Amino acid sequence: MELPKGCQYCIRGEKLVLFITGLCNQNCYYCPLSEKRKGKDVIYANERQITSIEEVIEEAYLCSSKGVGITGGNPLLRIDRTCEYLKALKDEFGEKFHAHLYTTPDLIDKEKLEKLQDAGLDEIRLHPTKIFNEGANTEYYKLLLDKLKLCMEYIEDVGVEIPSIPNMEKEILNLAYKLDEIGVKFLNINELEFSETTYDTLIAKGFEVKDDISSAIKGSEETALYVSENFKGNMIINYCPSSLKDNIQLRNRLINRAKNVAKDYEVITDEGLLLRGIMIFDNKEDLEEIAEILRDNEVEFEIVENKIYLNPFVLEDLIEEMKRARYEIKFSAYISEVYPTVDALEVERIPLVTKKLKFRRRK
Ligand code: SF4
């Protein structure tokens, strides 16, 4: 079965995640938003906090994005901002730049759908929160189905996206048949995960971690698989495991960005991170001397304050060479592994020279 279009861009790492606001009118106990985003009216393009349309376009270029997933919070609480950003992306990258948006059924109305249609939205995904928080009654299902039908009048692809709550197979199957009956295109079921903000709540509710290597919740996968195996309708049911999000989607997105932002001396790892060698000097004279050697040998490098940034493998060779030649220069050195994001968050530091080795100065 074919994946929903938005998911195809996501898996290839070609989706720009546009977090349009942290504001939300729901209060899901499993909401994974971090403290710095939850309830805050902030905008992020992938991992980068932004304040303008120019920045979102720049980020889309840097990540070689071919589509956008507009999320939050609840984007419909900032409908004009959502449409303004969406239209700007469509104008810049063309009609084929695929756009999907996540929201809840309660905020859907004709006026907002018209605006989204005019801005070029291709796909909408409704999250029926009530089913998973309080349990839904007939009235809520009616509202959900009516809102989905309304969406179908304006947006080409209409789907539903839900968390896979352990032991809710029956409710989810029941939902799936109702959606199928009215022609909803797909049901996306996400594996439930612990996050920094939900850990205590989920533990208090009796959920357990699946294994030692992930933050996924025990039983969530089984529930999703039960639904996909037992559903006999026509609608696409797509299960999205947390490992797919972390290992493939994020990795591909980082690789795409790394290819565009890596300096000549940096090495891109298989995970899409950047490796760089760094030398730190106590005095400028020593730094200049090493810089001169690097220039003589046509080695790519960059000077930032009292540091030299260079290829990590060249740095290792250089240190060996300096030890052999017994240079008398004081410096420390390490290999730094960073995200290819704006903040260049460091994930690992491998020390090479820690004790300010003294090499004898060249005559
Ligand atoms: S609708 Fe989404 S953003 Fe809002 S509280 Fe629920 S999970 Fe969080």
Side-chain angles (χ1 to χ4, degrees):
M1 237 180 213
E2 207 188 37
L3 282 176
K5 282 210 192 91
C7 298
Q8 296 176 24
Y9 290 93
C10 191
I11 285 177
R12 293 195 293 265
E14 294 171 349
K15 172 175 98 170
L16 179 85
V17 181
L18 177 56
F19 181 92
I20 205 78
T21 178
L23 301 178
C24 188
N25 58 339
Q26 307 292 311
N27 191 20
C28 305
Y29 70 85
Y30 47 79
C31 179
L33 295 190
S34 64
E35 291 293 357
K36 62 178 187 179
R37 296 189 184 202
K38 200 173 202 159
K40 315 243 168 36
D41 195 12
V42 287
I43 313 174
Y44 284 83
N46 291 337
E47 290 74 26
R48 171 181 177 186
Q49 186 167 4
I50 58 159
T51 51
S52 69
I53 285 174
E54 290 69 33
E55 286 171 296
V56 80
I57 288 173
E58 182 188 57
E59 193 60 23
Y61 274 117
L62 287 175
C63 295
S64 305
S65 307
K66 306 242 177 343
V68 61
I70 305 175
T71 181
N74 202 330
L76 295 199
L77 289 175
R78 287 290 177 269
I79 181 70
D80 290 336
R81 180 191 296 165
T82 297
C83 292
E84 199 187 343
Y85 276 66
L86 171 56
K87 189 159 180 340
L89 285 164
K90 286 277 186 177
D91 287 348
E92 182 72 24
F93 296 101
E95 265 312 294
K96 284 201 171 144
F97 192 83
H98 187 270
H100 66 274
L101 174 141
Y102 304 84
T103 186
T104 52
D106 53 291
L107 291 183
I108 295 286
D109 60 36
K110 275 189 180 184
E111 195 191 332
K112 292 195 195 81
L113 286 168
E114 265 163 13
K115 286 184 178 179
L116 292 167
Q117 185 187 44
D118 287 348
L121 188 69
D122 300 288
E123 182 181 303
I124 193 163
R125 302 174 176 200
L126 300 194
H127 172 197
T129 52
K130 198 166 174 180
I131 300 176
F132 303 94
N133 286 283
E134 310 148 42
N137 50 23
T138 325
E139 204 182 316
Y140 184 75
Y141 276 112
K142 186 176 176 322
L143 172 113
L144 170 66
L145 299 177
D146 285 349
K147 295 298 174 94
L148 284 163
K149 282 189 218 156
L150 189 60
C151 288
M152 287 177 207
E153 290 176 27
Y154 295 88
I155 312 294
E156 189 179 338
D157 289 337
V158 177
V160 166
E161 180 138 339
I162 58 167
S164 180
I165 310 285
N167 305 319
M168 282 194 74
E169 300 83 354
K170 289 211 174 78
E171 290 86 342
I172 298 175
L173 255 184
N174 175 35
L175 170 69
Y177 284 114
K178 286 183 195 299
L179 302 177
D180 197 31
E181 230 169 74
I182 61 161
V184 169
K185 209 154 201 172
F186 61 87
L187 171 64
N188 240 20
I189 311 180
N190 293 318
E191 187 172 22
L192 191 63
E193 286 180 278
F194 284 104
S195 74
E196 48 160 318
T197 48
T198 56
Y199 185 81
D200 292 342
T201 312
L202 292 175
I203 288 288
K205 282 185 175 283
F207 293 112
E208 290 172 47
V209 72
K210 176 169 138 183
D211 52 40
D212 293 344
I213 52 160
S214 81
S215 54
I217 281 177
K218 199 171 172 178
S220 177
E221 176 160 78
E222 288 74 2
T223 294
L225 293 179
Y226 178 90
V227 173
S228 18
E229 281 158 19
N230 289 282
F231 177 69
K232 304 292 177 230
N234 297 313
M235 180 180 59
I236 299 169
I237 298 222
N238 176 43
Y239 166 52
C240 185
S242 68
S243 56
L244 184 70
K245 282 200 190 75
D246 300 341
N247 301 344
I248 301 179
Q249 298 169 1
L250 179 64
R251 178 174 157 270
N252 286 345
R253 183 143 58 82
L254 291 175
I255 289 173
N256 285 345
R257 195 176 203 279
K259 281 183 192 161
N260 289 326
V261 301
K263 304 262 175 71
D264 286 343
Y265 57 79
E266 288 174 325
V267 174
I268 302 174
T269 70
D270 291 345
E271 285 74 41
L273 302 178
L274 296 174
L275 285 180
R276 49 172 75 146
I278 300 180
M279 301 176 87
I280 307 172
F281 297 87
D282 281 350
N283 70 67
K284 211 169 167 25
E285 202 193 3
D286 289 341
L287 181 146
E288 284 304 337
E289 181 160 345
I290 295 298
E292 196 189 314
I293 295 171
L294 295 173
R295 272 184 217 107
D296 288 350
N297 286 280
E298 296 179 359
V299 169
E300 293 286 346
F301 69 98
E302 187 179 12
I303 297 175
V304 181
E305 295 167 354
N306 65 334
K307 301 186 188 81
I308 290 182
Y309 287 53
L310 71 167
N311 180 289
F313 305 123
V314 171
L315 174 59
E316 285 177 328
D317 290 348
L318 180 70
I319 290 170
E320 285 311 309
E321 191 52 41
M322 289 171 82
K323 279 180 184 165
R324 265 197 295 278
R326 306 189 71 75
Y327 267 46
E328 199 177 283
I329 284 182
K330 266 192 185 174
F331 67 96
S332 57
Y334 60 92
I335 293 174
S336 171
E337 189 173 22
V338 299
Y339 275 99
T341 47
V342 170
D343 56 3
L345 184 71
E346 189 174 62
V347 286
E348 194 178 4
R349 190 176 277 205
I350 305 159
L352 298 177
V353 177
T354 51
K355 294 199 317 208
K356 306 250 178 214
L357 280 187
K358 249 188 168 187
F359 297 117
R360 193 174 311 134
R361 191 176 298 282
R362 182 172 51 165
K363 294 283 182 252

